[in-house]
Amino acid sequence: MSTTKVRRLGTDKPPTRVSRMMQNKWAGVAGLLIALLAPFVNATPYALSVMTSAAIFVMLAAGLNIVVGYCGLLDLGYVAFFAVGAYTSGVLSTRFDLPLLVTVPAVIVVTVIAGIVIGAPTLRLRSDYLAIVTLGFGEIIRITANNLDVTGGPSGIYGIPHLVGSPVIFYYVTVVVVSLAVLGAARLGRSRLGRAWRFVREDEDAAEAMGVHTYRVKLAAYIAGAVWGGLAGVLFASQLSAISPGSFTFLQSALVLMAVVLGGMGSMPGVVIGAVVISILPEILRGLADYRFLLFGILLIIVMLLRPQGLWPARSKEVS
């Protein structure tokens, strides 16, 4: 009679209290409750703005985690899809007087097309070459938006309508949308397609030999990440009601990638925590004026040295 053993990769030690907490299925529910109760603690306009920006940043990190964490594709130009989503909704809502919600289907279509246009010729590359090309595409999108009349040029687009009038209600709408996006990304990671992404990440040649169409699988990850980034762009445009090329620089892509690495690549709970830390920590250190980014960088280096695998690393299982 054979028995099936499930062992954790990377450790033969018994689970600690921290590891058991990380594997608790209620951790996500606890995080959602914290987000929902936060306005009852502090509902000032500044606090709501910071919390809404953090939620949007979580959605960006969840999208990039599909590309980098699940599939292992180093993307340094992810902000391009963020810009495509924001500009698509901004142009349609201001030039055709459409409610922002009506522009969402168009944003999804445009970001899918952008993912195919950018991903199709580049995903045959690997490692550093892919990173350099995606960085170039991210800059191309920003420079294009900076030089087109339809996007408002350097001044950008102003007067974008809000999804809802109240900042508190908009915060809750954002939390709900981001929660669904995070849940959807986590479900994708556990699906058959998600397993194919992990095979490609671990050994692309072996995955190809086992019958996985690696190019299609990578393109699917890239398109999924593009849609997540585009929808985050809609929320961003609604929050600020104005967008410009200066909001979509390489620094934004680097910060999102930093959140994924800090939280733990491939770990959706870790990515959420990493995104919250990256987005809120500079605001907590704002009282230090010009030194806050110096201390911010030092703290990140310390965390990376102490937790190189991330704050909440992914724990995969295999059956033997």
Side-chain angles (χ1 to χ4, degrees):
M1 183 176 178
S2 61
T3 59
T4 302
K5 296 181 179 179
V6 179
R7 66 178 178 86
R8 292 181 180 84
L9 295 179
T11 177
D12 294 324
K13 300 178 181 179
T16 63
R17 182 179 299 178
V18 175
S19 65
R20 286 195 297 267
M21 182 189 69
M22 287 183 174
Q23 295 173 20
N24 195 316
K25 63 180 180 180
W26 297 107
V29 177
L32 178 59
L33 286 177
I34 292 173
L36 294 176
L37 295 176
F40 291 95
V41 178
N42 190 345
T44 63
Y46 170 73
L48 286 172
S49 176
V50 171
M51 290 187 293
T52 303
S53 298
I56 295 173
F57 197 77
V58 166
M59 187 166 180
L60 280 173
L64 185 60
N65 187 53
I66 296 175
V67 181
V68 178
Y70 289 162
C71 202
L73 305 173
L74 183 55
D75 187 352
L76 296 181
Y78 187 68
V79 74
F81 302 120
F82 188 42
V84 168
Y87 271 105
T88 300
S89 62
V91 169
L92 292 178
S93 61
T94 55
R95 292 187 176 268
F96 299 99
D97 295 324
L98 296 175
L100 209 61
L101 189 61
V102 176
T103 67
V104 170
V107 169
I108 295 175
V109 171
V110 173
T111 49
V112 167
I113 294 174
I116 295 173
V117 170
I118 297 176
T122 62
L123 290 180
R124 299 188 186 277
L125 302 173
R126 298 188 185 183
S127 63
D128 297 342
Y129 301 102
L130 177 62
I132 293 171
V133 172
T134 54
L135 171 61
F137 272 114
E139 286 300 294
I140 287 172
I141 295 296
R142 183 184 64 83
I143 293 172
T144 300
N146 196 54
N147 288 278
L148 290 180
D149 292 333
V150 69
T151 58
S155 300
I157 301 174
Y158 296 89
I160 300 173
H162 295 287
L163 280 174
V164 291
S166 169
V168 177
I169 297 177
F170 178 70
Y171 168 74
Y172 281 118
V173 169
T174 302
V175 168
V176 170
V177 172
V178 172
S179 299
L180 292 175
V182 169
L183 180 62
R187 292 287 185 183
L188 273 176
R190 291 192 291 268
S191 67
R192 181 178 180 181
L193 179 59
R195 290 194 295 272
W197 286 338
R198 289 194 295 274
F199 296 156
V200 171
R201 179 191 65 194
E202 297 301 330
D203 193 324
E204 186 172 342
D205 294 327
E208 188 83 42
M210 293 300 294
V212 177
H213 198 302
T214 56
Y215 178 72
R216 290 181 183 176
V217 166
K218 291 192 294 184
L219 187 60
Y222 209 69
I223 292 173
V227 172
W228 262 248
L231 294 177
V234 177
L235 294 173
F236 179 75
S238 176
Q239 180 194 13
L240 298 183
S241 74
I243 53 175
S244 65
S247 301
F248 309 104
T249 60
F250 167 70
L251 177 60
Q252 189 74 9
S253 291
L255 287 174
V256 179
L257 179 61
M258 191 184 303
V260 173
V261 176
L262 178 67
M265 291 192 295
S267 168
M268 194 54 66
V271 167
V272 172
I273 293 175
V276 171
V277 170
I278 293 295
S279 57
I280 291 183
L281 189 57
E283 298 300 326
I284 295 176
L285 300 175
R286 184 172 289 275
L288 299 177
D290 295 337
Y291 296 98
R292 65 181 177 128
F293 286 111
L294 174 62
L295 184 57
F296 175 59
I298 293 173
L299 291 175
L300 288 180
I301 292 173
I302 293 174
V303 172
M304 291 295 188
L305 291 175
L306 296 178
R307 298 282 296 181
Q309 73 276 31
L311 295 174
W312 192 314
R315 291 183 178 272
S316 58
K317 295 180 180 180
E318 70 175 17
V319 179
S320 58

